[in-house]
């Protein structure tokens, strides 16, 4: 395990522990006479979606039945997030809901993994007396081996993975983050950057495509610093390799850091047929001094130039999304006003807004969290309203133009829904097309969040 970057004493606690050190309690293990069943629950970013998929496969490999509803489960696994205090509160809330479920039937157990497991380590076993296991999702082998040994008598070899009708999937191509944004706990809980080789990613995508997946998002906290450990190839080369997988229709990638958003990346986006016209490029703030305090190593002007270059290269129309934090330490009215001005100037399709939340062990935790909660909320709501208006205007510009929709399913009233290449939610008339079809159509109406599309033949 590589050494994680450490900024403060509190962060020293975030070292991964071996499974053996975490097995403080031995849950009662009943003989079931059948394979144990597992309920998985997750919260947080797309990395946790991908980890959930990975864990489901690993449970199936050791002979457990993954992904059953809670009432049918013997083991509940919480895949957690700690990026903001409210994510942790949701996990504690979910945990409280599980206590009566566990007490209902002897032998039921609860495991906790994901980013909170690394943050709290085995100390969380003292905090949550009903918790049975804590393990590191990046190194689940010790946990799986332990379960396999405990339940040996009920296991009958690997289980087939349940059939999946998924069209879209996340594929992690690198873990960890080497940036040290002062507000962020992710480098502590996810460790340093480690990329998977291109050939391994391609095999993973081929496996998914063989199971019916058509839209793949390559994942990394800082995905555009990807570097193949064998060849040194960067993200554009990885995109080119995955683009050539037969049967894949759409390719996306998340999350890019502005520092590493280079012309070669935009050219790859423009030139590779499966790569969609969508770029998520978190800016975090619209004032240079705020960016410096956050340790985001670019200026607003440099960021703006990257967006201009991306828009000029990826034609005809690139959807751009971002993340913005409001109420960071010492954020003045003028700095906040600059963030608003930047949103109005750049005009993003989507903005993920968050109120600053102090995270233990980060550099910013040593500064005063001096924007009062009510003011953070006011700033958040203000930018939400500003952005709703911008998104509505951008989407209104789609009316009368043609889009391509990958149909994902139908609502109860029969209307079909899916997403465009720009990742916009699109609605089609009832029974317009089955899930898994690609439909071209004209946009007839739009709101801030959705497009209404008439298929080409009927248009
Ligand atoms: N790697 C990405 C980047 O470069 O911005 C983001 C990953 S982070 C999991 C997702 C988002 O959470 C960040 O972009 C940031 O806006 C937000 N975030 C991270 N730490 C936060 C904190 N302490 N308080 C509020 N929001 C936070
Ligand atoms: Fe966190 Fe993203 Fe900054 Fe990494 S680049 S420290 S994940 S905000
Ligand atoms: Fe949360 Fe961990 Fe993702 S802290 S946002 S689940 S990397």
């Amino acid at each position: 395990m590589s050494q994680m970057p450490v900024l403060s004493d509190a962060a020293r606690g975030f070292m991964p522990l071996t499974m053996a050190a975490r097995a403080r309690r031995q849950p009662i293990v009943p003989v079931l006479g059948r394979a144990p069943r597992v309920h998985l629950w997750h919260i947080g970013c797309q990395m946790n979606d991908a980890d959930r998929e990975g864990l489901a496969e690993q449970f199936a490999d050791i002979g457990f039945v993954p992904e059953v509803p809670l009432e049918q489960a013997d083991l509940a696994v919480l895949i957690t997030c700690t990026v903001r205090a409210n994510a942790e509160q949701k996990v504690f809330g979910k945990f409280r809901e599980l206590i009566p479920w566990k007490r209902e039937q002897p032998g039921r157990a609860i495991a906790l993994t994901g980013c909170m497991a690394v943050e709290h380590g085995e100390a969380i076993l003292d905090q949550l007396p009903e918790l049975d296991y804590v393990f590191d999702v990046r190194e689940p082998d010790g946990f799986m081996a332990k379960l396999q040994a405990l339940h040996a008598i009920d296991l009958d070899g690997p289980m087939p993975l349940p059939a999946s009708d998924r069209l879209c999937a996340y594929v992690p191509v690198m873990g960890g983050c080497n940036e040290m944004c002062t507000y962020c706990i992710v480098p502590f809980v996810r460790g340093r950057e480690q990329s998977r080789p291109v050939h391994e990613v391609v095999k993973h995508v081929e496996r998914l495509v063989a199971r019916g997946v058509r839209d793949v998002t390559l994942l990394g906290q800082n995905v555009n610093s990807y570097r193949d450990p064998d060849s040194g190839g960067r993200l554009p080369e990885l995109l080119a390799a995955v683009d050539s997988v037969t049967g894949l229709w759409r390719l996306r990638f998340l999350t890019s850091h502005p520092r590493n958003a280079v012309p070669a990346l935009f050219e790859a986006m423009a030139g590779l047929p499966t790569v969609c016209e969508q770029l998520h490029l978190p800016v975090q703030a619209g004032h240079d001094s705020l960016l410096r305090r956050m340790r985001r190593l670019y200026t607003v002007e440099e960021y703006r130039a990257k967006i201009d270059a991306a828009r000029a290269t990826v034609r005809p129309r690139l959807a751009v999304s971002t993340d913005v934090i409001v109420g960071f330490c010492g954020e003045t009215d003028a700095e906040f006003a600059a963030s608003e001005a930047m949103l109005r100037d750049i005009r993003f399709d989507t903005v993920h807004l968050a109120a600053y939340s102090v995270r233990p062990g980060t550099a910013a935790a040593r500064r005063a969290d001096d924007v009062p909660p009510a003011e953070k909320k006011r700033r958040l709501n203000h930018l939400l309203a500003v952005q709703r208006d911008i998104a509505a205007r951008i989407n209104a510009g789609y009316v009368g133009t043609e889009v391509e929709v990958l149909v994902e399913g139908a609502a109860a009233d029969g209307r079909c829904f899916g997403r465009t290449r720009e990742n916009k939610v699109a609605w089609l008339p009832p029974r317009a097309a089955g899930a898994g079809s690609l439909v071209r159509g004209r946009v007839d109406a739009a709101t801030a969040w959705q497009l209404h599309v008439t298929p080409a033949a009927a248009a």
Side-chain angles (χ1 to χ4, degrees), residues 402 439-442 454-459:
E402 205 178 83
V439 175
R440 293 203 69 84
R442 197 193 59 213
T454 302

Side-chain angles (χ1 to χ4, degrees), residues 399-413:
V399 174
T401 68
E402 205 178 83
V403 288
E404 177 200 271
V405 182
L406 173 57
V407 180
E408 290 173 27
D413 62 3

